Amino acid sequence: MSRTNTAPARPPAATGDGANRWVVLVVLCVSLLVVALDATILHVAIPSLTEDLRPSSTALLWIVDAYPLICASLLILFGTLGDRVGRRRILLLGYALFGIASAVAALATEPSVLIGARVLLGVGGAMIMPATLSILRAVFPDRRERATAIGVWTAVAAIGAATGPVLGGFLVEHYWWGSVFLINIPLMALILPLGRRLLPESRGTAGGPWDVLGALMAAAGVLGCVLGVKRAGAGDPILAFPTAGPLLLGAALLVLFVRRQKRRTHPLIDMRLFSRAAFTTSVGCIVLAMLALVGLQLIAVQYLQLVLGLSPLETGLRLLPLTFAAMAAGATGSYTLRRIGPRRMVGWGFVLTAAAVLLLTFMGQHDRPLLLTVGFVLLGFGLQTTLFSAYESMLSEAPQRSAGAAASIGETSYQLGAGMGTALLGSVMNAAYAPGLAAVPGVPEEASRAAANSLGEAYQVAGQLGGAAGGALHQAARHAFVGGLHITLFVSAGLLLLGAVMARRLPRVMECPVDVEEAVEAMSAEDFGPDDSRGSDERHGPGEPRGADEPRGPHESGEGCEPVRRPRPTEAAERSGLAEPSEPRVPATREAIEPAGSGRPAH
């Protein structure tokens, strides 16, 4: 019996043999490491940079915020562009731009030049981040292998974010502030030729012209939302025009963007992705996890430095247990996901993180190293478990043709969660901290108002006052900060438990989605036998199909993956265009997932 393959033509997916896939993963992880480092490494260099360049307060704000703002706003633009023109091409251009911008930033002698360089770094980061995840999606079509790869990928992201302050503190202490950018140049010089040689090209199958106007609307909308959230986190009134204006404009542009995508024949982002409960829930879990992590991390750094009196380098070292725990969670994430499924993995990850946050409420004005270490280990393991499973579920729910769009949605959610975490938990902290300084004996009202802005400013005011009044203000500020920290931790624990409830909408078991085109190719391979692009089966001659009852090898058994069949939509629904194209879910067998033209034999 023969079957005619009527699947639409598409370019071969990018995948090599088993060894090459893991080499590609190493290149992608080094790419992500550089971007993650650059997001946090500058923080410890701010005092040295300020002394050298003498930027205004506004310029200093843009030096710090230009990179995350631009990066977050352009993720959708470059993620969808990579689906059209090639993800490898976008990634390599991002490498080059990131290296050039790093050199300009390291040698900047004016604040305006440094701001411009940080903008270019944001553009380069937006080109790199979604491309790494979408290429990973294409290179690892087997969900079990992809889960392992995503575990490594998320662990590297955690390593970069946590190592940034430690490495930055070392470089600033031994060299100058520009060295925190200069280290990017040899890494980019190494990875650009390696990426050009080793990375495969991949792209989606979406036809039609790229929606330039839609991409710009999405970029402006995300930029407005992130800018408004950051201003709220900095303490600006939420109803003030500099805060509410960007928020409202950004939200309006995003609403128009969604309506535009629903009307277009060839949209940038297929909005039907959000009709899938697993995809939408995964995105929401990423936002909640980052909301808790970033706000807590900023407050924890202030606690370690200003309350316990640790240096920046010592602070970074205290956070290393969190990094090691995140690495362990990433390394074991694939096994755990297969054993307990996405629902329980994300849910229990949130519960474990909430328990760690509640444990940290026992922190006081004196150093308790064992308590902090245990809390940070549980925090790192729980959050990394949650992020790993949420990313894996989100990426596996999206078809391969939309990998760039899905990756950009995930990364944008990551950035929005981080911004909202800073704004929300920072606002809670300020609201709980300020009343404790309202009536300190012997302290003038004006000095109390200045001290209520932050703990660092309270120490400065206390030093200027001196004497008994200064000592009283210093002690009151420490008490108020620790009390506010405890309230903030309780709020964070509540948000994390909300995430655990949200995770109940995820699938109970790990399913193995396969694109329609790949499923058709798999059926064609069974009917026709191997051809020039598929190789041959070790146990069958050319053209001899495998028996239906013949046992498969352990690699083909689909162990840990639940096969699910979806009902075909009705003919009327298909004609109306409202039905979602069915995507068969089958066990993760090698025959079902190997793309045509890969040059790999079936096992």
Side-chain angles (χ1 to χ4, degrees):
M1 174 183 175
S2 63
R3 183 185 291 111
T4 303
N5 187 346
T6 58
R10 65 187 181 99
T15 183
D17 59 33
N20 286 343
R21 285 202 300 278
W22 300 106
V23 172
V24 167
L25 177 62
V26 172
V27 176
L28 295 178
C29 285
V30 174
S31 312
L32 181 66
L33 180 64
V34 175
V35 176
L37 275 173
D38 214 70
T40 58
I41 198 171
L42 181 64
H43 295 166
V44 295
I46 291 298
S48 176
L49 182 155
T50 303
E51 184 178 352
D52 189 13
L53 298 185
R54 302 290 181 183
S56 65
S57 58
T58 303
L60 182 61
L61 183 65
W62 279 105
I63 288 172
V64 175
D65 288 344
Y67 176 82
L69 281 174
I70 298 301
C71 185
S73 63
L74 296 179
L75 286 168
I76 293 177
L77 188 153
F78 285 117
T80 56
L81 182 61
D83 285 343
R84 300 300 180 100
V85 305
R87 297 148 187 162
R88 173 179 174 270
R89 180 179 301 176
I90 295 295
L91 183 59
L92 295 179
L93 288 174
Y95 289 161
L97 183 59
F98 207 85
I100 294 170
S102 297
V104 174
L107 302 176
T109 57
E110 296 290 337
S112 58
V113 176
L114 183 55
I115 292 172
R118 292 281 286 172
V119 169
L120 291 179
L121 282 169
V123 176
M127 299 173 81
I128 293 172
M129 291 177 70
T132 60
L133 199 54
S134 54
I135 290 176
L136 185 150
R137 168 69 173 83
V139 172
F140 291 92
D142 184 310
R143 184 169 183 180
R144 291 171 299 169
E145 288 188 348
R146 183 166 67 244
T148 302
I150 292 176
V152 175
W153 186 87
T154 53
V156 167
I159 292 169
T163 307
V166 180
L167 181 59
F170 173 82
L171 291 172
V172 171
E173 286 182 11
H174 291 83
Y175 302 101
W176 92 109
W177 63 265
S179 59
V180 302
F181 299 109
L182 207 59
I183 62 168
N184 294 335
I185 298 175
L187 289 173
M188 289 294 105
L190 173 66
I191 202 172
L192 182 57
L194 280 178
R196 185 177 180 185
R197 178 181 178 85
L198 298 174
L199 293 178
E201 183 59 280
S202 71
R203 54 173 57 91
T205 58
W210 185 56
D211 184 10
V212 179
L213 178 59
L216 294 177
M217 289 172 62
V222 173
L223 177 62
C225 289
V226 174
L227 181 60
V229 165
K230 279 188 171 291
R231 286 190 176 276
D236 292 353
I238 190 67
L239 297 180
F241 180 76
T243 302
L247 271 176
L248 293 176
L249 179 60
L253 286 172
L254 289 178
V255 170
L256 293 175
F257 170 76
V258 170
R259 295 181 62 181
R260 178 180 176 85
Q261 297 310 298
K262 288 181 176 179
R263 292 196 306 265
R264 290 185 63 84
T265 306
H266 303 289
L268 286 176
I269 295 176
D270 187 352
M271 290 299 161
R272 289 176 300 186
L273 285 174
F274 291 96
S275 67
R276 304 181 181 186
F279 185 89
T280 306
T281 303
S282 297
V283 170
C285 288
I286 292 171
V287 172
L288 271 178
M290 288 309 301
L291 191 152
L293 173 63
V294 173
L296 286 176
Q297 190 175 26
L298 291 176
I299 295 169
V301 168
Q302 293 182 59
Y303 172 79
L304 293 172
Q305 291 188 18
L306 298 178
V307 176
L308 300 185
L310 302 180
S311 69
L313 183 57
E314 290 172 330
T315 299
L317 293 174
R318 284 293 186 94
L319 294 172
L320 282 181
L322 188 151
T323 304
F324 293 142
M327 292 170 60
T332 59
S334 176
Y335 173 80
T336 307
L337 183 63
R338 293 198 304 269
R339 295 288 294 179
I340 68 175
R343 180 188 300 174
R344 281 185 285 183
M345 188 169 180
V346 174
W348 284 111
F350 272 124
V351 170
L352 180 61
T353 308
V357 168
L358 293 175
L359 178 64
L360 292 176
T361 58
F362 290 98
M363 295 185 304
Q365 298 190 45
H366 302 288
D367 194 4
R368 303 180 68 179
L370 181 59
L371 173 68
L372 288 175
T373 300
V374 173
F376 286 157
V377 166
L378 295 178
L379 185 67
F381 193 90
L383 267 177
Q384 189 65 18
T385 296
T386 299
L387 284 172
F388 161 78
S389 188
Y391 264 111
E392 199 281 336
S393 298
M394 179 203 71
L395 202 59
S396 295
E397 191 68 18
Q400 197 276 334
R401 64 178 178 271
S402 303
S408 64
I409 291 170
E411 294 296 337
T412 303
S413 304
Y414 186 100
Q415 298 289 342
L416 284 174
M420 288 191 292
T422 304
L424 176 61
L425 296 185
S427 299
V428 171
M429 181 70 194
N430 290 336
Y433 164 75
L437 303 178
V440 181
V443 178
E445 184 179 350
E446 184 178 349
S448 295
R449 285 198 302 268
N453 292 328
S454 68
L455 183 59
E457 193 165 347
Y459 285 173
Q460 292 179 357
V461 174
Q464 294 170 0
L465 288 175
L473 180 61
H474 188 280
Q475 190 64 20
R478 283 169 58 94
H479 275 290
F481 184 87
V482 173
L485 176 60
H486 290 166
I487 294 174
T488 306
L489 290 172
F490 281 116
V491 172
S492 179
L495 293 171
L496 291 166
L497 292 176
L498 177 63
V501 175
M502 182 189 299
R504 294 181 61 83
R505 299 183 70 232
L506 289 172
R508 183 180 59 84
V509 295
M510 180 179 176
E511 300 170 355
C512 298
V514 175
D515 287 345
V516 174
E517 296 92 340
E518 292 175 353
V520 172
E521 288 173 4
M523 290 187 291
S524 300
E526 291 179 359
D527 284 343
F528 296 120
D531 57 22
D532 293 340
S533 65
R534 288 183 176 86
S536 60
D537 192 297
E538 295 176 356
R539 292 175 292 175
H540 297 272
E544 182 182 350
R546 185 196 306 267
D549 299 326
E550 183 175 338
R552 300 179 181 268
H555 187 69
E556 302 171 306
S557 65
E559 180 183 354
C561 297
E562 182 75 11
V564 174
R565 297 186 181 277
R566 289 180 175 175
R568 180 174 178 81
T570 63
E571 197 171 318
E574 285 181 331
R575 281 198 301 266
S576 69
L578 299 176
E580 181 180 346
S582 60
E583 292 186 13
R585 295 174 177 262
V586 301
T589 62
R590 189 62 76 184
E591 288 89 320
I593 59 178
E594 284 302 333
S598 66
R600 296 194 56 206
H603 294 292

